[in-house]
Amino acid sequence: MDKLRITGGQRLHGEITVSGAKNAALPILCATLLTADTVTLHNAPELRDIDTTLKLLSQLGVHVERNAESVTIRANELNSLEAPYELVKTMRASILVLGPLLARFGEARVSLPGGCAIGQRPVDQHIKGLEAMGADIHIEHGFVVAKAKRLKGAVIRTDMVTVTGTENLLMAATLAEGETILENAAREPEIVDLAELLIAMGAKISGHGTDRITIQGVERLHGAEHTIMPDRIEAGTFLCAVAATGGDLMLRRACPDTLGATLDKLREAGLHIETGPDWVRGTMYGRPKATGFRTSEYPSFPTDMQAQLMALNTIADGTAMVVETIFENRFMHVQELIRLGAQIEIDGNAAVVTGVSQLLGARVMATDLRASASLVIAGLAAKGDTIIERIYHLDRGYDRMESKLQAVGAQIERLTKEEE
Ligand code: EPU
């Protein structure tokens, strides 16, 4: 298993190009199942989760052609309507094929995702919403088995705000008969990106980006071309990195409009930020200031940035309280940060971080995607060598992170099995 070795203490200087957003690309790839025509996507990031999704689509019989950052997909004839356990267990977002398959083919079998490191993450709201649209759904032998002649529009109010839940129901509703209203919908920019692709495919959608999305079902959707939005979490991660190491980082192909709460918090921490239509520049001198925060749904501070901003707080001047409200077990990075010398106490869903003047490199283990990113940030700021094990988590969601960081002066290298 690959590891990362980071020799901390280098300031970051230079430019990084932000990749396409993982969490926009995943639903968008699944949305291509809604039409028999060709859909062409640009700015697709090179990530393990994208490879897994393309593999899943191929197994269903979809034609997939990848050419650098573009992917051409044609789901004209499928040979299976099943998402198997082997793929779903490695990537929960596979549940996103449920809505499109059911809506277009009247049938789908998707392995029920198990629990995962950051929490239980049930899919009951996806199921409840599809049932409200007339689907007959059972759990059989570990699979969600769904059937419907044609889905019917409905008013659906999810019990909580769910991102992939909203996406699954939005996709399903585009081909349903009549009007669907999604209340308590997620407002994340990735939902807006998905809705824009669906509209380009002929869907009738309004209210995306608000908590009430209205969809008028159509008989069929057609092909389209779409450019995937920039990854706001990748951008936020690099900004936390420069805030931790000091230096001057220019992020190209970023979308500052989607980064509001993250930029606010980083400014509070002392990062000087300038923005343009498609760039963000972060400059840092001196020690960061402790910055407390609470994760919540968009437009509040994202749970996907919690671990990274916590890493910054470990070396900040002062004490900060971090509250995680979205996932019940998203503090697994804490024990690893403590191995680097951080002072953190956890009480339920709150963590109190008291900044230390210097972290010291150590051997640590990545436990999930964003936890891995927080360890990279801490390692870049620590004195000496940090070895991060199990970085396959990082490869799921960051596009060539170590080469991007190397290019701006970080001492970071990937060690394969034999090296070290
Ligand atoms: N929930 C339920 N029932 C459901 C759906 C969700 O109880 O049917 C609960 C979840 O357990 C959680 C809360 O509702 O406590 C919110 O979960 P949500 O459904 O919004 O999460 P998700 O759609 O599974 C997406 C991202 C996550 C991100 C969350 C929150 C994708 C592919 N994944 O997950 O991204 O953390 O929204 O913003 O879009 C990551 O990229 O590292 C990542 C985990």
Side-chain angles (χ1 to χ4, degrees), residues 45-65:
E46 281 183 35
L47 305 171
R48 179 83 58 80
D49 275 7
I50 300 300
D51 296 343
T52 307
T53 310
L54 294 177
K55 194 165 161 193
L56 173 57
L57 293 177
S58 303
Q59 282 194 7
L60 297 173
V62 175
H63 301 278
V64 173
E65 217 181 289

Side-chain angles (χ1 to χ4, degrees), residues 22-23 121-125 162-164 304 326 330 370:
K22 167 180 85 82
N23 288 348
R121 304 181 76 184
V123 291
D124 57 307
Q125 301 300 310
T162 153
V163 176
T164 49
D304 290 346
I326 306 291
R330 215 178 195 183
R370 308 303 171 187

